[in-house]
Every structure is written in structure tokens, then in C-alpha cells.
Amino acid sequence: MGTVLQYLDQEPFRFLLSVGAILFLVLNLAAVFTMAERKTSAYIQLRYGPNRVGPRGLLQPAADVFKLFSKENLSPSRADLWIFLGAPIAMFIPAALVWLVVPFAPNAVIADLNVAIVFFIAVTSIGALGLIMAGYGSRSTFSLLGAMRGAAQMISYEVPLILSLLGVIMLSGSLSLVDVVNAQGGGFWHWYFLPQLPMFIVFYIAGIAEARRVPFDLPEGESEIVGGFMVEYSGMTWGLIQAAEFASMGLISAITATLFLGGWQPPIEALDFGNFNWIWFGLKTALLVFTFQWIRWSLPRLRMDQLMDFGWKILVPICLIWLFVTAGLMLLFPSVF
Amino acid sequence: MLIAFIFLASMTLISALAVVLSRNVVHSALFMSGSFLGVAGFFVMLNAPALAAFQVLIYVGAVTVVILFGIMFTQRPQVRRFRLIINRQMWSGLFVALGVGAFLAYILSIQDWVGTSPGYGPRETAELGEILLGLNGAPEIFSLLFEVISVLLLVAVVAAIVVSRRKTGEGIDRGVEE
């Protein structure tokens, strides 16, 4: 057994195993989040939600996946087939790959990159490419409109997303997520959401926009463009797009928890569980995911010009101002930081 | 290591060839992102993950997306075949290609290509930043160049705002024009 483990710890196998584990995690996460989304929406709207398959409907995701696999994959006859089929993959792979750099618990990170934050930004920015591929490949006006909206939105909200990270990078002095988490040890008053409260709020909002959820779901906009870039998809290709959306929602929650809420650090020292600190990471991520769902089922959708104004005229100036405040405080009181 | 190199090299070269040979502008742009990803893979192999991340962020995430955006705004999906333009510029294109080819061949012949193993440049992002600012023994001209680049970007941003600014009195236009 020991020798087998040592053999699997060698480089190509370690990487392949890790990627396999991440894919397993992300696909299951997508299923669980679908279920959570339906249940949350149901309770917010005073109904039961899915409650037939399994105890309290908990096995509904398994039935959903079975249904999706048994459905036919339709594609429009005029579609650009390779781009049409490649788009869900181009959306899912980036959303899954970033999980490689997320620290789940002490010493439990697959790739401790020294540029993990840049990696996160870089790989999430590929998602816009998948969106455009889906919109163009479908050769449908609704899809193209949705893709244009989505690309414009993701390019615009990338700016506040990156700017709001700079405060954390300055405070921790590192681009590595492991270092960022380690710098937040020793109780919840050391977490970065307190000194960086405006940045935290901006990152959270820009994160919702990057995950394309209500109130920023203009690329889908089911009441105006009937589903936007994914209107032509069916069966498992549609399932993969959904999985990518839920994976990126979980990813944004996990990164927010890591950067601003202390990652796996317990709220007070007495609750330190050692290697079981992933419980704290999971709890924080789940809480953020719940707030995402809460917002989704409570708020109306923004209009396109409101979306652009909000991003460029409110979020970006807040980031720049707080960046200067942080830099000034760090210069004035170098002993505190 | 060699297998990864061959894989990345063929990915980069085949995508680059496909960019040129493809008759569809959107296909060309997408193949270009594949080529950029291959180059990012080379940076990872050379132990420079920061460069690779910036390559993906800037070239795949920004340049390709903006190019695709431009294509979709300026051309209708059906009329994107432009064989005529290519043929009209064949001789000048051949001239430029020969020039670039000669230059690359010259570089290829004077350099000593030992293998695919990485060199000994700076690895940490902080170190790279200090060199860019001319600190720690790096030439001080670097900090001047750094400032010049930021001024250039500022000029570009201001110019973009001036070009896209609406003149007063024009109606507000919220939709995408056909």
C-alpha cells in the first residue's frame, strides 16, 4: 500500500490524479448546487420544490443527470458544429481548473502556485471565449445577442474584479492563495473583509457578474432573449453549460472565502480542528453560495446600460479610492501592517 | 518533458497555420487563442508561471475576445468569407513573410540551442517587478521605460474615450445597431 502511494505521488500520476479528483468534485458540486438552487428558490417562493425522488427529494440530481444523458443532443442545421460543441467544454474546463489552486485545508492544496491569484484571473477570463463560441456557433440571433451581452459584461466586470484583489495582495504581500490564508490566522478579526470591506463588497458583486447570475444574468435573460447563448443547446451539452455555471458560482464563493473570509482559518483559535479545518472552508463557501441564491431569487435583473454604468462609474472608482486609502495607511502606519 | 514540448509545439504551430489557412475570420480568431495557449504552455515549461498567467490573461482572455467582439460588431455572421482580400495582397504578403523568415533563420543560426530545459531568470513575481522598476542592480532605464509605457496606455485610454464620446444633443442609443 505504502509503495503504491509513493508511486502515485510521482509527477505525472500526481497531476492526473489531482485533475481527476477536481473534475469529480466539480461535477458533483454542480449537481449539489442545482439541488440547493431548486430547494432555496422553492422555500423563498413558499413551495416545497423537488420532493419525490429519495428522502425529501435529495436524490433529484441523480435523476436529472440520468434524464440529461438519455436526451438527444440536438444542434441547429446551420450551426458551426465544431464551435457549437466546443463551447460547453471551453466554458467548463476553465471553471474546473481554477479549483487546482484553492487551498481546502492546511497543506491540502493541489498546486501551490506563487501566482495563484493571477492564475485565477487569467483562467476565469477564458470563460468569455466559451460564451462567444456558444453564441456564434449556434447561428441564432438570440444566441448572438446573449453572447455579445455576456462578453461585454465579463470584460467590464473583470476590471473591478482585478482592482478589488489588489488590496488583499498589498496587505498579504503575496500572490499565493496559501500565503493569503496563512496571513489571516488568529481569529476572525484578522480576516481581510474588515480592513478591506469596500473591496470585499466590490469583489462579491463583480463575482456575481462574472458568474452571470441574477441580477447580472443579461446574457441569459430568459424573459427577453429566451435563454441567450444557450438557447440552442439540449441534452448533455446544455448540462455541461449548467455545470460550468454552477462550478463558477462555487469557485467565486470559494475564492471570496479564501481571500476575504480567511479560507480554512477557524473564526476563533479555540475551534481549530487541525486537518479537519476544511469544515470551516466548506461552511464559509456554502454560506456565500446561499447568499448568491438568496440574491438570485429576490432581485430583478438590471438593464444593459444600468449594468455598464454600475460597473464603470461606481465599482471601479470605489476600488481606486480604497486602493489609495490602503496604500496611504500602509505608508503612514508601517508597524500595524 | 520532450513529449510535452512536442505536444505544445505542434499545438502552437498547427493552430498558427490554421489561423492563416482558415477561410472564416471567427475560426481564425479561435485558432489564434489555441496558439496563444500553446505559448503559455511553453512559459510553464520554462518555469515562468507568472509569464504564462499573464499570457493567458492578456492574449487569450483579452486580445482574442476583443478581436471576436470587433468581428461580430462589424460583420454579419453569413458574409465572413474574404478570399478576395487575401489574393489581392499576395505579393506584399509574400515579401513580408520572406523578410520575417530570413530574420528568424538568422536568429536560429546564431543562437546556441542546448535543449528544452529552463534557464536561470527571475522566478518570483516580486523579483520581476523590482527589475521592471530598475531596483536591485537592474538598469535604471527600465523604470523610465515602465513609466513611458504607462503614459502610452493612459493616452490610449483617453483617446478611446474621446473617440467614443457622444456629442451633446444626440439621442441616447441603447440598442445594437443592425
Side-chain angles (χ1 to χ4, degrees):
Chain A
M1 190 64 192
T3 49
V4 172
L5 279 182
Q6 273 174 9
Y7 187 66
L8 288 179
D9 205 21
Q10 305 288 318
E11 214 14 274
F13 300 108
R14 185 181 175 278
F15 183 73
L16 290 177
L17 268 183
S18 323
V19 172
I22 285 298
L23 281 181
F24 180 78
L25 171 90
V26 172
L27 286 170
N28 279 296
L29 211 62
V32 172
F33 282 169
T34 321
M35 183 66 201
E37 184 93 42
R38 293 174 72 174
K39 276 291 186 190
T40 314
S41 74
Y43 285 123
I44 285 177
Q45 295 168 347
L46 293 180
R47 41 187 188 88
Y48 287 117
N51 60 353
R52 284 290 179 269
V53 191
R56 293 180 74 88
L58 280 179
L59 292 179
Q60 184 69 36
D64 281 346
V65 170
F66 185 70
K67 183 198 78 173
L68 283 176
F69 266 116
S70 62
K71 279 173 86 170
E72 185 186 358
N73 277 330
L74 289 171
S75 65
S77 56
R78 285 169 63 239
D80 207 325
L81 200 61
W82 286 104
I83 298 184
F84 183 77
L85 293 181
I89 303 170
M91 285 158 107
F92 180 76
I93 298 280
L97 271 190
V98 186
W99 284 93
L100 287 175
V101 298
V102 174
F104 294 96
N107 304 322
V109 55
I110 291 170
D112 179 15
L113 285 184
N114 59 5
V115 287
I117 296 180
V118 186
F119 179 81
F120 157 68
I121 298 168
V123 176
T124 45
S125 73
I126 304 181
L129 205 62
L131 207 75
I132 293 183
M133 283 169 75
Y136 169 78
S138 309
R139 285 279 171 85
S140 142
T141 313
F142 284 136
S143 300
L144 202 60
L145 260 179
M148 301 281 256
R149 286 179 172 193
Q153 172 181 331
M154 288 184 84
I155 291 175
S156 303
Y157 277 77
E158 205 123 287
V159 177
L161 192 82
I162 295 174
L163 282 176
S164 59
L165 289 173
L166 291 181
V168 171
I169 296 171
M170 280 160 68
L171 285 182
S172 67
S174 171
L175 286 170
S176 155
L177 286 176
V178 175
D179 289 352
V180 169
V181 174
N182 287 337
Q184 299 180 73
F188 68 89
W189 52 92
H190 289 288
W191 297 353
Y192 284 145
F193 79 99
L194 284 175
Q196 295 288 323
L197 191 61
M199 298 290 216
F200 171 58
I201 295 169
V202 170
F203 184 83
Y204 184 77
I205 294 173
I208 298 180
E210 282 291 306
R212 300 188 296 277
R213 290 178 63 82
V214 176
F216 303 104
D217 71 332
L218 286 113
E220 288 174 45
E222 54 277 84
S223 56
E224 22 190 301
I225 51 175
V226 293
F229 61 92
M230 56 168 105
V231 67
E232 302 290 352
Y233 286 89
S234 62
M236 209 47 217
T237 46
W238 180 84
L240 204 56
I241 292 182
Q242 286 295 313
E245 302 241 307
F246 282 110
S248 61
M249 176 178 76
L251 179 75
I252 294 284
S253 311
I255 296 280
T256 315
T258 306
L259 288 172
F260 293 98
L261 299 178
W264 45 260
Q265 302 279 2
I268 46 175
E269 298 260 12
L271 289 172
D272 194 342
F273 297 147
N275 280 335
F276 280 87
N277 273 336
W278 55 264
I279 290 172
W280 292 116
F281 175 76
L283 278 179
K284 287 167 190 170
T285 309
L287 185 73
L288 284 168
V289 167
F290 171 70
T291 59
F292 275 19
Q293 291 169 346
W294 190 2
I295 289 173
R296 168 163 181 183
W297 296 100
S298 310
L299 290 182
R301 184 180 304 131
L302 288 175
R303 222 170 45 213
M304 195 67 198
D305 57 322
Q306 289 171 336
L307 175 97
M308 287 296 161
D309 281 0
F310 187 65
W312 288 103
K313 294 182 185 166
I314 298 179
L315 294 185
V316 172
I318 290 178
C319 282
L320 290 176
I321 291 170
W322 202 254
L323 196 63
F324 279 110
V325 170
T326 311
L329 287 178
M330 283 178 77
L331 273 181
L332 284 177
F333 310 105
S335 57
V336 182
F337 297 101
Chain B
M1 204 65 172
L2 196 67
I3 297 171
F5 179 80
I6 291 171
F7 173 74
L8 287 173
S10 49
M11 174 177 161
T12 311
L13 289 179
I14 292 173
S15 319
L17 204 64
V19 173
V20 187
L21 295 181
S22 166
R23 289 284 174 222
N24 185 324
V25 197
V26 177
H27 288 185
S28 294
L30 289 174
F31 276 124
M32 200 167 71
S33 71
S35 179
F36 286 149
L37 278 178
V39 175
F42 281 133
F43 287 142
V44 171
M45 276 185 69
L46 294 173
N47 267 344
L51 266 183
F54 284 117
Q55 165 89 10
V56 172
L57 174 64
I58 294 171
Y59 284 97
V60 183
V63 170
T64 313
V65 171
V66 170
I67 286 177
L68 280 170
F69 217 55
I71 293 170
M72 292 196 177
F73 263 124
T74 51
Q75 291 184 310
R76 295 162 64 100
Q78 288 80 17
V79 282
R80 283 204 194 106
R81 296 166 191 282
F82 64 141
R83 190 172 309 199
L84 270 178
I85 302 173
I86 294 176
N87 283 347
R88 210 182 322 159
Q89 295 176 340
M90 198 177 78
W91 291 110
S92 50
L94 198 66
F95 181 69
V96 172
L98 278 180
V100 173
F103 178 71
L104 285 180
Y106 172 69
I107 298 282
L108 212 64
S109 60
I110 62 164
Q111 270 287 345
D112 180 24
W113 304 95
V114 187
T116 55
S117 54
Y120 300 100
R123 297 278 176 262
E124 297 287 321
T125 334
E127 210 178 325
L128 274 176
E130 280 170 354
I131 290 173
L132 264 185
L133 292 176
L135 302 171
N136 290 352
E140 282 181 359
I141 187 81
F142 282 7
S143 68
L144 179 72
L145 295 177
F146 185 76
E147 294 300 322
V148 168
I149 290 171
S150 32
V151 171
L152 194 70
L153 283 176
L154 184 71
V155 170
V157 169
V158 172
I161 292 173
V162 169
V163 167
S164 64
R165 187 183 50 156
R166 277 195 206 96
K167 298 193 176 56
T168 47
E170 268 180 37
I172 297 172
D173 170 30
R174 290 210 179 99
V176 181
E177 274 187 275
E178 268 298 304

